Amino acid sequence: MATLLRGVLRPLYAFRGGPGPPAGVPFRAVSHGTGLLYPEHIPTSVLQKVLLAAGSAGMALYDPYRHDMVAVLGETTGRRTLKVLRDQMKRDPEGAQILQERPRISLSTLDMGKLRSLPEGSFGRAYLHFLDVNVASGRGMTRVSPDTRAPTRFVDDEELAYVIQRYREIHDMLHALLGMPTNILGEIVVKWFEAVQTGLPMCVLSALFGPIRLSAQSLQLLISELIPWAVENGRRAPCVLNVYYERRWEQPLQALRQELGITEPPLRVEGLV
Amino acid sequence: MAAPRSWALWSFCGCGWSRAVSGCRLPGLRSSSPRGPLGARLLSQEKEATETHFGFETVSEEEKGGKVYQVFESVAKKYDVMNDMMSLGIHRVWKDLLLWKMRPFPGTQLLDVAGGTGDIAFRFLNYVQAQHQRKQKRQLRAQQNLSWEEIARKYQNEEDSLGGSHVMVCDINKEMLKIGKQKARAQGYKAGLAWILGDAEELPFDDNKFDVYTIAFGIRNVTHIDQALQEAHRVLKPGGRFLCLEFSQVNNPLLSRLYDVYSFQVIPVLGEVIAGDWKSYQYLVESIRQFPSQEEFKEMIEDAGFQKVTYENLTSGIVAIHSGFKLYLR
């Protein structure tokens, strides 16, 4: 704790001597204009990151609808893992291309008309169907749209910020690939898959603590069938961040699943909550 | 008739504050324009491209009002919760102390500016109601020879439990007023309360109307503080009192260091976790640093025409209550 405080107070000492702005100013002075690494960047000290991680974890458990808290938890705890992921992406040819071109998924970049014109059974159609079902309906399922992925703010490296943004944006693709809906059970299954795939602390924590709010029946199904399936697939599949999804809309869903080694889910999750 | 001395002092301190902001210009306040023929009202007709501070940022004066509006629009729903979290509930004590300093009696007309969520207004109503009830009891006890009919009549005639007191809550932000009205409904405050949308720099009231003018944690968000003070002077009756509860400079160096760390490290995090809004709370702690010190603010109040201006530090100067009286008609 003392070292953390020292880390915080060190820049504060630089401002001693003379009237003017108080201690905590350096971070804010940097956060205007030129000090930002990317548009939405909010520079934070070590102490702030620790507090954010703890606070967001607590709040996410307390109020599961605070998706922004899960995102913040990921950003503040994932530094080391993001570096590993980024290096992995660099080694893979498709991943390196993604890092270079930095594609973004949002309603403005998605060509809905083109997706709709694709043949049935293609990955693009499956993704579109997933969006339609989960945006249009709302019967207890969380509304999603490619735009509900909040921009990264607390990562202090521009490339890593993109990596975590990409991870968030392909989350929906994973739902389509794994065939999981966006209710709590489906989300937990996808989180287990992601935890094994990426190793991000936030995924691991969500995977471990998410099931707390489930009913006993769902919990039993989760543990006996869904988690082993998710873990097995997560292990077998190559890194999902290395797949350039935007170039594979026409690819048949089954073929993409086969390429990634993803099998059919052991049971349909729709009816279960 | 702004005293040039205090403007110079303010601009000097404004320069000091802006050192951290790269590419800063002098973010001092505009000097008061000369009074027009329309009485004491200021006419801000000069459209200079002057700049001011928004936290530690430098923005144009036109922008600041809009940006502050957005901040309060987004924090309105969680305003009270966040106040409790950030001050660990101490803000309630501060507001109570403001009321005790005010000591309103039944019949007082209060104007609470920037009073959005109604904290001061509700406390005022509670206070005058308690005072009025005490007065009634004293009166009844003094009249020992009343018959039962007379006593019953006295109780029945009692429609106004506030004894003629009234509080007008004025705020520039619709969201904050909405929250305040909801709270009033939920807590059962109806009589003696009115909600008005208005700008502290240009109040929608006649001259010489109110007994007390309060502004709690609002004046540092006003773009032209001197104009707000002059408006306060205008709407008060002669003999009326100006009371301002605001964050100020901490006088204890150790506490000041801790307070800075707490403000800049913890509060934005709290804002993000509880309200999902980092930037508004960053603005909040920065705007506190930009506000003039106790002495400077006292001089600004004197410049607006108030007499007998004093201030009282609470919690070692984290918060200060400034008080002034309008004794002469200008």
Side-chain angles (χ1 to χ4, degrees):
Chain A
M1 195 60 196
T3 39
L4 279 173
L5 266 180
R6 221 178 295 139
V8 161
L9 292 174
R10 211 179 300 126
L12 311 185
Y13 295 152
F15 266 71
R16 243 205 237 141
V25 162
F27 301 111
R28 182 57 169 168
V30 157
S31 74
H32 289 294
T34 53
L36 298 182
L37 297 169
Y38 46 92
E40 289 289 325
H41 187 208
I42 297 179
T44 42
S45 68
V46 174
L47 177 60
Q48 282 176 319
K49 287 204 172 67
V50 170
L51 292 172
L52 264 178
S56 60
M59 186 52 104
L61 273 177
Y62 175 71
D63 183 359
Y65 290 101
R66 290 291 300 272
H67 301 300
D68 59 326
M69 287 291 103
V70 179
V72 168
L73 181 62
E75 288 171 30
T76 48
T77 53
R79 194 176 173 81
R80 214 182 310 157
T81 322
L82 283 175
K83 283 199 180 129
V84 169
L85 279 174
R86 191 255 318 261
D87 294 337
Q88 205 179 46
M89 282 176 83
K90 275 205 172 126
R91 284 195 293 268
D92 179 274
E94 209 172 342
Q97 217 173 19
I98 297 174
L99 270 181
Q100 208 167 9
E101 291 175 24
R102 305 261 178 111
R104 292 291 301 268
I105 302 174
S106 72
L107 281 175
S108 54
T109 57
L110 282 178
D111 190 348
M112 301 299 257
K114 173 164 169 263
L115 286 180
R116 237 173 264 283
S117 68
L118 289 170
E120 196 62 47
S122 64
F123 171 59
R125 278 305 291 268
Y127 179 59
L128 193 65
H129 176 73
F130 168 82
L131 282 183
D132 283 340
V133 165
N134 290 293
V135 173
S137 80
R139 327 172 232 113
M141 296 189 185
T142 13
R143 294 214 178 180
V144 299
S145 100
D147 292 338
T148 55
R149 305 300 162 195
T152 317
R153 280 171 301 161
F154 301 113
V155 178
D156 292 331
D157 179 305
E158 187 228 351
E159 202 170 22
L160 298 180
Y162 175 73
V163 173
I164 201 169
Q165 188 74 48
R166 179 77 184 163
Y167 152 75
R168 261 183 230 157
E169 288 175 358
I170 64 171
H171 180 79
D172 292 336
M173 317 266 172
L174 293 180
H175 271 283
L177 279 174
L178 293 171
M180 289 288 136
T182 53
N183 52 22
I184 299 186
L185 200 56
E187 290 287 357
I188 294 176
V189 176
V190 177
K191 270 288 176 288
W192 273 91
F193 180 83
E194 285 174 350
V196 174
Q197 275 271 307
T198 62
L200 281 168
M202 172 261 286
C203 296
V204 176
L205 285 171
S206 306
L208 290 174
F209 287 102
I212 283 179
R213 289 177 172 259
L214 282 179
S215 67
Q217 185 200 19
S218 307
L219 198 59
Q220 207 249 325
L221 276 159
L222 188 71
I223 297 180
S224 60
E225 309 232 15
L226 290 169
I227 288 183
W229 171 77
V231 170
E232 184 197 328
N233 279 283
R235 282 227 175 102
R236 189 171 41 223
C239 184
V240 286
L241 281 169
N242 287 337
V243 180
Y244 207 139
Y245 295 99
E246 291 88 332
R247 299 234 176 104
R248 293 173 183 251
W249 295 131
E250 294 94 5
Q251 188 175 7
L253 182 60
Q254 287 304 102
L256 186 55
R257 278 188 178 155
Q258 224 167 0
E259 187 182 330
L260 296 174
I262 295 177
T263 56
E264 285 290 321
L267 31 85
R268 280 187 64 76
V269 182
E270 252 83 34
L272 308 166
V273 164
Chain B
M1 229 188 346
R5 168 186 57 113
S6 73
W7 183 82
L9 188 64
W10 170 233
S11 64
F12 169 72
C13 292
C15 207
W17 286 126
S18 64
R19 238 180 35 156
V21 178
S22 49
C24 74
R25 301 224 226 121
L26 191 67
L29 294 178
R30 257 172 7 111
S31 59
S32 318
S33 10
R35 288 213 171 71
L38 296 172
R41 253 193 204 235
L42 277 178
L43 302 171
S44 43
Q45 283 173 342
E46 302 144 353
K47 291 280 178 227
E48 311 160 335
T50 33
E51 297 194 315
T52 180
H53 49 81
F54 177 73
F56 290 153
E57 263 182 78
T58 310
V59 298
S60 75
E61 285 183 342
E62 291 92 40
E63 272 188 294
K64 173 157 179 173
K67 286 179 98 119
V68 172
Y69 192 94
Q70 278 170 359
V71 165
F72 282 93
E73 198 176 32
S74 90
V75 305
K77 289 204 177 69
K78 297 274 176 110
Y79 187 73
D80 294 320
V81 171
M82 282 300 301
N83 281 347
D84 276 331
M85 289 285 140
M86 292 190 291
S87 67
L88 307 170
I90 303 177
H91 75 106
R92 297 165 186 245
V93 177
W94 292 332
K95 288 169 181 160
D96 287 337
L97 284 170
L98 178 70
L99 255 296
W100 292 340
K101 198 167 169 96
M102 194 197 303
R103 295 205 185 288
F105 48 83
T108 303
Q109 306 297 304
L110 171 65
L111 172 64
D112 182 24
V113 178
T117 54
D119 279 342
I120 303 291
F122 301 153
R123 281 174 169 79
F124 171 78
L125 291 174
N126 290 341
Y127 192 102
V128 293
Q129 192 172 39
Q131 292 283 73
H132 192 62
Q133 280 171 351
R134 233 174 283 155
K135 191 165 114 183
Q136 294 292 74
K137 276 211 195 99
R138 268 200 306 265
Q139 273 181 344
L140 279 175
R141 235 177 283 149
Q143 296 161 354
Q144 291 296 328
N145 296 323
L146 285 179
S147 66
W148 283 116
E149 291 104 16
E150 282 174 296
I151 295 175
R153 212 181 307 136
K154 245 212 178 302
Y155 273 108
Q156 275 159 9
N157 284 344
E158 197 43 68
E159 290 140 1
D160 185 6
S161 63
L162 298 171
S165 329
H166 190 271
V167 55
M168 197 80 89
V169 181
C170 179
D171 199 294
I172 199 174
N173 195 299
K174 290 197 195 87
E175 286 303 315
M176 296 289 279
L177 279 178
K178 205 161 76 167
I179 302 288
K181 285 186 200 165
Q182 282 170 6
K183 271 171 68 176
R185 259 197 306 269
Q187 294 174 22
Y189 292 99
K190 269 190 292 246
L193 186 57
W195 306 86
I196 304 267
L197 190 67
D199 184 349
E201 296 180 17
E202 234 178 296
L203 290 170
F205 304 111
D206 284 331
D207 302 4
N208 309 317
K209 260 201 91 184
F210 296 99
D211 296 312
V212 186
Y213 173 112
T214 52
I215 184 163
F217 301 121
I219 203 161
R220 72 174 188 284
N221 298 307
V222 173
T223 313
H224 301 110
I225 298 181
D226 50 346
Q227 280 182 33
L229 292 173
Q230 304 211 355
E231 280 293 277
H233 192 268
R234 179 180 70 80
V235 300
L236 277 173
K237 292 182 193 157
R241 189 173 196 184
F242 168 86
L243 279 168
C244 173
L245 176 67
E246 190 53 81
F247 288 108
S248 205
Q249 313 298 324
V250 179
N251 44 29
N252 177 331
L254 174 63
L255 186 63
S256 171
R257 203 62 91 60
L258 285 172
Y259 180 53
D260 283 342
V261 172
Y262 179 73
S263 294
F264 284 95
Q265 304 297 318
V266 180
I267 287 188
V269 174
L270 276 179
E272 178 63 34
V273 171
I274 297 177
D277 192 346
W278 176 287
K279 300 226 156 143
S280 295
Y281 290 92
Q282 184 81 47
Y283 161 72
L284 177 119
V285 295
E286 291 178 2
S287 66
I288 294 176
R289 298 302 180 289
Q290 294 289 52
F291 191 69
S293 69
Q294 285 87 328
E295 277 298 327
E296 284 167 54
F297 190 49
K298 173 175 167 216
E299 285 173 17
M300 289 169 77
I301 300 175
E302 283 168 349
D303 287 340
F306 289 99
Q307 313 289 325
K308 299 280 173 221
V309 180
T310 58
Y311 62 85
E312 184 187 332
N313 279 337
L314 305 177
T315 327
S316 290
I318 294 182
V319 163
I321 299 181
H322 280 78
S323 159
F325 290 90
K326 171 175 178 174
L327 295 182
Y328 314 119
L329 269 175
R330 275 207 175 214

